[in-house]
Structures are given as C-alpha cells and as structure tokens.
Amino acid sequence: FPSHDNIPPLNCMQLIDFYIATLTNSEKHYPIPDVGECYIDLNRKEVENMSRLGKGKIWYRAKVVRESSNTLVLLSQTPKNGFSKAVDRCQSWIDNNQVEYYDESGISGDRHVFIIPDKSSVTLDQLEDKINRAMNCSLTYTFIFEDNGNAVYCGLDHVVSKSLGYLRTCIIRKFNSALSKCNQNYEVFKAIEDLRASDQFPSIIKMTTSELRSLIIGFGYSEDIAKQATSKAITYLTVSHKSEMDQTLEEITRLKKLIEDPTDYLVSLYEELKSELKSFYDSRKHSVLLSEANFSYKAKIDDGQIEISDNDGIDFNSHVIMISEEGWLKPLSINNQIESKYSMTIN
C-alpha cells in the first residue's frame, strides 16, 4: 500500500481480505481505517465509500465508559487528541474539587478515571459531554498513487489493482527463472540417460571430458548442456536418473500452470500473511465503528481484581462462588460496573 500522509492506515486483516476477494472475484468488503483503539463515528457505508472513492472525512471518538453513576473512564485517545486534552478541558472542575481525576494506566492498558464526588455541581452527562468534545476529531483523507511518474487521485480498487499487477509481474518473473533452471536440469538428466543408452556407454570411463562432451553434443544437445552433464562425477553419469527426470517434469508442469495463472499462488501468500499476522493483530486493540460497537461490558476476575472487559468475563449483576487456594468457598456479587479488589480471607 503506498505511503502518504493523507492515506489512512487501514485495518490490516480486512485489507488482506480485500486483496483476496479481488484476486478471486468474490464479494468485496472495503476495509475501515484503523488508528488504534477508538470509535469511528460514521456508519459502515459512509466509511466504505471513503475507501472506495479514495477521499472523505472520518470522525473519531474516544472510548468513554460509564462505570457507575458518578464515574467515567477514558480508555482511548483519538488521532489528533491525547489524554491530556481531556484533562485540560476538565482542569477547572478538578481545581475546584468538582471532579477527581486519576491516571490508573498500567500494563493492561490506558485508564483515566474521572469521578464526581458531588453531583449537585456537575452531572455525569456534563462531564461526558466535555470529555467527548475534547477528544472528538476528524481527518480528511485523499488517496494519491504514483502511476507512471504521475500523481493519481484514486480509490482503493485502483491501488489494489496496480499493486496486484506489479506483484503478478514479479511472481511470473520468478517462476520463469525457476522454469528455465528446471528445463536445463531436465535436459541434463535426459542427456545422461541417452548417454547410458548408447552403445558407447561401456567405454565412457576411458573418454576424456572433451570426448564425452562431443558425444553428448552429437546426440543433439547444446554445448551448455554437454558442459553441465560432463561436470558431474563419472559415478553420477553411470547411474539412472529417471526418477529425478519425472520429478523435474512434474515441477515444469506445475511452474507452467503458475505462470499461466498465478492467482491461486497469490491467494495462498495472502492467506499465509493473514495467518502470520493474526496473533499480533489479536494482541492489539483496533478502531471500530461506533454504530457496531459492543457495549455489553462484562466483569473479568483476575488475581484478586474485578476488571471491566468488553469481550471476556461474566455479566454484571451476577453471583459467583470463589474458591481459595485453601479450598474455602466465598460467595461474591458483581453488582455494578466498577473495577475493585476483593479479599479471599475467611474469618
């Protein structure tokens, strides 16, 4: 994908799927921008149109969670605005003790907590609105692609088509080189087999290299093939290479099919790339469409800490039984969306 400041980073897995769909002439789904964990405040059709047309404006929103009736947690930034922007916007409230702010970021991720100690002066809606206004931003994108030395404004289809065209050319060049080598090897094996089948075979151990080359050239082979064959040890020339000939012929047939249509090979490369990237991709957080975001937060219990998770865990307002290392049982209620500590001490 061409590098340009005005081209958004696209979701890599979705982009690979788009390349595969283009190669296989199947239904294509345009990838959405991926600038890290945040929301894209447009519907899918609007975002896909930006990729399809190669231009458009994308609105980004930070991830803000209401953990309780008086607590908001800011979990992500946006491309233009960092966490400090939200803190600065709320600074007057913080200075007047109307809002308490804590940076609880750690190895598990970013976590900026805003607590309203007294809702008579500031409401949760007012706090959330101020944080969102501080973090919201938009970026205008224009795809520019170099084509024969000229700057071309284009959509993703053109970019992918040109990229795949270049990749096909490189792949076919690679396969043609391999095919040329295989054809040479096959001719060498065939020359050795013809040598072994000739009536002069019993006396080849007495021949000089020059005489052997002349004999092979006399069978109709080129001087280069004769040189390659006679560069082998005499013991190599006296044994059959029929099985290697058959294997080489199979490889020649395979390479010719790939040169004729390298589509399946290219698809396999993209599938392999997708497999290699998956663990890295899954370990990171990504931009999602606000219209498709999952707001069903769950509680995840890990090493004495009740954490909020948007994928794994149990539903809030649930009751669980904890088992200590000593075998004691302790009932535990998860009754609101607040991260907290719990103790397994049994008195």
Side-chain angles (χ1 to χ4, degrees):
F1 197 80
S3 175
H4 192 276
D5 291 342
N6 242 9
I7 296 179
L10 299 175
N11 184 289
C12 64
M13 302 299 268
Q14 295 175 9
L15 182 60
I16 293 173
D17 286 338
F18 188 87
Y19 269 86
I20 293 174
T22 302
L23 284 165
T24 58
N25 292 317
S26 53
E27 183 180 3
K28 292 186 286 190
H29 299 282
Y30 290 86
I32 68 173
D34 188 357
V35 294
E37 185 181 20
C38 69
Y39 293 124
I40 297 173
D41 197 5
L42 293 172
N43 63 44
R44 180 168 291 278
K45 185 176 181 180
E46 292 172 321
V47 177
E48 289 186 345
N49 276 340
M50 185 276 296
S51 293
R52 182 176 62 83
L53 298 174
K55 59 183 179 180
K57 179 180 286 188
I58 300 295
W59 288 89
Y60 296 99
R61 289 185 60 177
K63 190 173 183 180
V64 182
V65 177
R66 292 193 178 202
E67 284 194 353
S68 72
S69 61
N70 71 330
T71 304
L72 286 179
V73 179
L74 178 60
L75 298 173
S76 72
Q77 306 179 89
T78 54
K80 284 185 177 179
N81 301 320
F83 294 112
S84 60
K85 186 75 175 290
V87 178
D88 291 343
R89 189 67 63 89
C90 298
Q91 193 61 54
S92 62
W93 286 347
I94 296 172
D95 292 342
N96 294 326
N97 297 321
Q98 294 170 288
V99 171
E100 297 174 1
Y101 166 70
Y102 304 95
D103 183 355
E104 298 181 358
S105 303
I107 58 174
S108 60
D110 296 309
R111 178 178 167 82
H112 297 261
V113 183
F114 297 82
I115 301 174
I116 302 174
D118 181 2
K119 290 190 288 185
S120 63
S121 59
V122 177
T123 67
L124 200 65
D125 287 340
Q126 289 174 323
L127 178 60
E128 185 171 20
D129 181 67
K130 180 160 286 196
I131 292 175
N132 281 329
R133 286 177 179 273
M135 301 304 294
N136 290 355
C137 73
S138 66
L139 290 175
T140 300
Y141 297 114
T142 304
F143 289 16
I144 302 178
F145 192 82
E146 182 181 343
D147 193 353
N148 295 324
N150 299 314
V152 177
Y153 294 88
C154 59
L156 186 61
D157 290 284
H158 180 78
V159 175
V160 170
S161 176
K162 296 294 289 187
S163 301
L164 289 176
Y166 176 75
L167 189 56
R168 282 179 184 274
T169 299
C170 293
I171 290 295
I172 289 173
R173 186 183 298 129
K174 170 187 173 181
F175 288 148
N176 273 322
S177 176
L179 178 62
S180 176
K181 183 64 176 177
C182 281
N183 282 329
Q184 283 189 357
N185 290 340
Y186 183 79
E187 287 293 298
V188 170
F189 291 138
K190 194 168 179 292
I192 293 174
E193 290 301 309
D194 286 349
L195 180 64
R196 293 181 69 254
S198 72
D199 55 4
Q200 298 185 59
F201 176 69
S203 58
I204 64 170
I205 58 174
K206 299 178 182 179
M207 294 182 182
T208 65
T209 300
S210 177
E211 291 172 333
L212 273 175
R213 287 179 183 173
S214 298
L215 182 60
I216 292 173
I217 291 172
F219 296 153
Y221 295 98
S222 67
E223 183 175 349
D224 182 57
I225 295 298
K227 285 182 179 179
Q228 290 187 53
T230 55
S231 67
K232 311 292 184 182
I234 195 67
T235 52
Y236 189 87
L237 300 178
T238 57
V239 298
S240 175
H241 297 281
K242 185 67 169 58
S243 62
E244 289 128 295
M245 282 182 65
D246 292 341
Q247 292 173 5
T248 304
L249 192 59
E250 289 178 3
E251 181 64 8
I252 288 172
T253 302
R254 187 185 76 88
L255 288 171
K256 285 181 177 179
K257 289 181 178 178
L258 289 171
I259 291 169
E260 183 179 349
D261 184 8
T263 298
D264 289 344
Y265 179 78
L266 289 173
V267 169
S268 71
L269 289 182
Y270 279 107
E271 292 285 7
E272 183 180 352
L273 175 62
K274 188 175 180 180
S275 177
E276 290 292 328
L277 287 176
K278 189 176 187 310
S279 60
F280 173 75
Y281 178 86
D282 291 343
S283 69
R284 300 171 65 85
K285 295 181 179 180
H286 307 277
S287 305
V288 297
L289 299 176
L290 183 62
S291 58
E292 299 177 8
N294 174 23
F295 294 104
S296 300
Y297 295 104
K298 294 180 178 294
K300 186 176 182 181
I301 303 173
D302 183 24
D303 193 24
Q305 176 80 27
I306 301 174
E307 301 176 345
I308 292 175
S309 171
D310 56 5
N311 44 37
D312 299 326
I314 62 174
D315 293 330
F316 284 93
N317 301 316
S318 298
H319 299 278
V320 296
I321 302 295
M322 306 302 298
I323 304 175
S324 70
E325 292 181 357
E326 295 80 15
W328 292 100
L329 302 180
K330 179 181 180 180
L332 182 68
S333 295
I334 312 295
N335 52 20
N336 54 38
Q337 295 186 21
I338 303 176
E339 296 191 359
S340 60
K341 289 278 188 180
Y342 69 86
S343 173
M344 285 296 294
T345 303
I346 306 295
N347 296 320

